[in-house]
Amino acid sequence: MDNILIIGSSGHSRVIIDIIEKEGKYKIIGYIDKNYEENQYIFNYPVLGSDDDIPKIINKYSIYGAIIAIANNKIRYNLKNKIKKISPNLNFISAIHPHSVIGRNVKIGEGSAIMAGAIINSNTKIGKFCIINTNASLDHDSIMYNFSSLGPNVTIGGSCSIGKMSFVGIGAVISDNIKIGQNSIIGANSTVLKNIGDLKVAYGSPSKIIRDL
């Protein structure tokens, strides 16, 4: 199996590790996290260093790839750009739980994470570095753009669009044919019946735009 790194060590990273272990495709060598001392163990894996140490860690351990196990879209975006500058040849892997349901003609970009119980129906496109959390569903012909994410138990209808770096909070429902713009936030348990533009915070049932970001 190819050697990989887990970048970030929050609770989200433990979910990612569980998925990778269940997939059985890669060997996890350790964590990258600047907030912990080197050789400290988290979830039975050692911390190998910080972001800046990645080039030498790649050489030392013959690293094939990595996954950025950080839930925050903006942090994940910034960290990916930093890593690409210092280690341009590093591969970013995806993690897809064996107990997720992936429909026909679904496309999933590099660096994305699909959690247990997630349902992605046919002809759907998941961009790069996206997250579809536990028991979330994305119906047919929908699209998630790069670095967007769905919280647990989110329900997205058919032919919807979730813009780049946007986040849909836990338990929210988005009706069919709805477009969510870039860098927007949909609050937990919201019901979205109308399009939401870029850089908006919206919540409620039915949802209303509360403020700009």
Side-chain angles (χ1 to χ4, degrees):
M1 292 189 290
D2 291 321
N3 295 340
I4 64 164
L5 300 172
I6 305 296
I7 301 173
S9 60
S10 66
H12 178 74
S13 76
R14 290 146 172 81
V15 178
I16 298 296
I17 283 175
D18 182 62
I19 295 171
I20 291 170
E21 288 177 341
K22 283 181 168 63
E23 285 187 289
K25 294 166 58 177
Y26 301 106
K27 181 180 179 181
I28 299 170
I29 299 301
Y31 284 102
I32 300 296
D33 195 316
K34 65 181 180 181
N35 297 311
Y36 289 88
E37 295 292 329
E38 191 172 336
N39 294 320
Q40 182 175 349
Y41 275 73
I42 305 170
F43 215 49
N44 298 324
Y45 292 101
V47 175
L48 301 175
S50 68
D51 312 339
D52 295 325
D53 298 320
I54 288 176
K56 69 178 183 182
I57 291 170
I58 289 173
N59 291 329
K60 182 177 180 180
Y61 295 98
S62 299
I63 298 297
Y64 165 77
I67 186 166
I68 302 176
I70 295 173
N72 183 284
N73 294 338
K74 185 175 181 180
I75 295 174
R76 198 164 64 257
Y77 172 82
N78 289 335
L79 193 50
K80 178 262 179 182
N81 289 338
K82 177 181 179 180
I83 292 169
K84 270 300 183 184
K85 286 182 180 179
I86 62 175
S87 298
N89 295 322
L90 180 65
N91 299 295
F92 287 102
I93 69 159
S94 292
I96 302 173
H97 199 286
H99 291 160
S100 60
V101 178
I102 311 297
R104 183 177 179 182
N105 199 34
V106 169
K107 296 180 180 178
I108 300 173
E110 67 176 11
S112 291
I114 314 298
M115 310 311 190
I119 299 174
I120 305 171
N121 278 327
S122 60
N123 210 41
T124 294
K125 296 179 181 179
I126 312 298
K128 298 177 181 179
F129 302 93
C130 292
I131 298 170
I132 300 182
N133 249 300
T134 310
N135 291 329
S137 65
L138 187 64
D139 215 344
H140 64 88
D141 299 290
S142 291
I143 182 168
M144 287 179 63
Y145 288 91
N146 297 347
F147 298 94
S148 60
S149 59
L150 309 182
N153 291 306
V154 165
T155 301
I156 308 290
S159 301
C160 288
S161 173
I162 310 298
K164 182 179 178 180
M165 292 179 67
S166 286
F167 168 69
V168 183
I170 185 170
V173 176
I174 298 181
S175 189
D176 295 333
N177 302 300
I178 296 296
K179 294 183 178 180
I180 307 298
Q182 298 184 34
N183 293 282
S184 287
I185 296 173
I186 307 300
N189 294 313
S190 297
T191 302
V192 182
L193 302 176
K194 296 181 180 180
N195 293 344
I196 305 293
D198 298 342
L199 294 163
K200 305 296 182 186
V201 176
Y203 56 82
S205 185
S207 66
K208 297 181 180 178
I209 295 173
I210 305 303
R211 62 180 174 88
D212 292 337
L213 278 174

